[in-house]
Amino acid sequence: MTEPGFSVVGGAAVRAALAGRHAAVVEVIERAYLTHARGESVNPPSYFLRFPDRPSSRIIALPASVGGDEAVDGIKWISSFPGNIEHGLPRASAVLILNDPATGYPYACLESSIISATRTAASAALAADRLSRGARPRRVTFVGTGLIARYIHEFLAATGWEFDEVGVFDLRTEFASAFLDAIGADPERSVVHPDAESALRAADLVILATTAAAPHVVDPAWFAHNPLVLNVSLRDLSPEVILAAHNVLDDVEHCLKADTSPHLAEQHTGSREFVDGVLADVLRGDLVLERDRPVVFSPFGLGVLDLAVGRFVYEHAVASGQAVAVPDFFHELSRY
């Protein structure tokens, strides 16, 4: 058996490993979803570390195991400190540990805020493609204009999406304008909306990427034009909005907890009948949705996706010589 080694892959190397590989990463995400749906993964509940003196902040542990041909075990440790944005820092920071399925030894530590944002964006791009009923939507609105929204736009653009109009709404108008500048939006085909209602009514594809802790979108009439809604931030929509839509989750048990919008709908009705299925059902062709209602995709965010992308990044970082080996990291390798 090969002696265990350990490497560190920093943020610049992670970004380099992912650069220009958007379509390949979306394929990695699709395979991970299908592997999970076949029962060839382990994805326990996420564990939340909360702070009584900092109630808006948390650190989350996402342990998981991916089987099949791309097997890897590990854990993501990701913090969410919304106050960071007041100091010009992203809300989230993270590391990812990869473990060898044969020995259990960890073999890499990767900067993972980029991996986490990438897997979220790739999942959103995959869902947008597969849940579009007919032609791809041409009018998009981003509600919440932080790093996740920027990554989702990047993945949409890199996988062939083109928009006649890009709308944005953020509680901070300066963030909305900065987002449009960051993505290079055409001023003649972009708009900063004054409120959520006008933003949602104007879009065929809605991307919710806020830090909202409770529903603030409560009127199903705002979705009367039956758009596709990527409910990435999970808590923006009221039960009434959820119940008036077709609902696709990434994993039923994971999503129906922690007071997500679908979880609130379950509590409201005492039933899960409003859930049409999971994304893997759509990927396999087992679920086809009609155009009679909006479609809401609610991804809780599975650790298996982080591991799948992390393994992809690690392999490219090693191949390019950008994984930094830590000699003698495991000092005691003899039982006696």
Side-chain angles (χ1 to χ4, degrees), residues 6-309:
F6 189 81
S7 298
V8 174
V9 183
V14 170
R15 188 67 173 162
L18 292 167
R21 296 189 170 100
H22 300 82
V25 173
V26 172
E27 291 177 1
V28 168
I29 292 294
E30 181 172 5
R31 290 196 299 273
Y33 272 131
L34 294 172
T35 297
H36 182 63
R38 291 194 299 268
E40 297 175 7
S41 67
V42 180
N43 204 110
S46 301
Y47 298 91
F48 289 73
L49 175 61
R50 300 187 185 276
F51 313 98
D53 60 331
R54 292 159 284 162
S56 68
S57 301
R58 63 188 187 272
I59 307 179
I60 312 169
L62 286 80
S65 173
V66 180
D69 296 333
E70 299 173 316
V72 60
D73 306 331
I75 188 169
K76 179 173 74 171
W77 182 240
I78 181 166
S79 67
S80 175
F81 279 56
N84 285 352
I85 63 176
E86 300 297 332
H87 306 285
L89 288 173
R91 171 184 56 85
S93 58
V95 293
L96 180 70
I97 300 294
L98 304 182
N99 293 73
D100 184 344
T103 66
Y105 272 84
Y107 61 85
C109 176
L110 298 87
E111 195 286 329
S112 198
S113 66
I114 295 172
I115 290 172
S116 187
T118 294
R119 64 88 151 143
T120 300
S123 168
L126 176 65
D129 181 56
R130 299 305 180 88
L131 292 173
S132 293
R133 297 161 291 180
R136 284 179 167 181
R138 302 287 301 185
R139 299 179 302 162
V140 63
T141 282
F142 292 86
V143 178
T145 54
L147 181 142
I148 294 298
R150 176 165 60 83
Y151 267 75
I152 292 174
H153 179 272
E154 176 185 319
F155 265 82
L156 291 173
T159 52
W161 287 73
E162 297 179 352
F163 299 108
D164 296 329
E165 181 178 284
V166 177
V168 292
F169 171 67
D170 197 290
L171 293 176
R172 299 277 292 271
T173 304
E174 66 270 28
F175 291 165
S177 299
F179 173 81
L180 290 174
D181 290 340
I183 66 173
D186 182 346
E188 295 185 358
R189 296 196 296 171
S190 58
V191 57
V192 177
H193 289 280
D195 51 58
E197 179 179 359
S198 63
L200 298 174
R201 287 186 181 274
D204 304 311
L205 173 62
V206 174
I207 297 164
L208 301 174
T210 76
T211 57
H216 58 95
V217 177
V218 299
D219 190 347
W222 295 3
F223 301 95
H225 55 302
N226 297 338
L228 170 58
V229 182
L230 304 183
N231 183 28
V232 176
S233 43
L234 283 176
R235 294 175 178 86
D236 298 77
L237 305 177
S238 71
E240 291 78 12
V241 173
I242 291 291
L243 295 173
H246 291 295
N247 287 279
V248 178
L249 314 182
D250 57 356
D251 181 283
V252 174
E253 295 301 327
H254 282 78
C255 198
L256 295 181
K257 64 176 60 174
D259 289 337
T260 64
S261 294
H263 186 210
L264 294 177
E266 181 190 29
Q267 294 175 54
H268 182 75
T269 63
S271 168
R272 297 181 172 185
E273 291 183 1
F274 64 91
V275 178
D276 292 82
V278 296
L279 185 59
D281 297 328
V282 178
L283 299 176
R284 293 187 303 233
D286 297 334
L287 175 62
V288 178
L289 301 172
E290 300 296 329
R291 301 179 62 87
D292 58 333
R293 284 182 282 169
V295 171
V296 176
F297 174 58
S298 299
F300 194 77
L302 302 176
V304 293
L305 304 185
D306 294 287
L307 290 184
V309 175

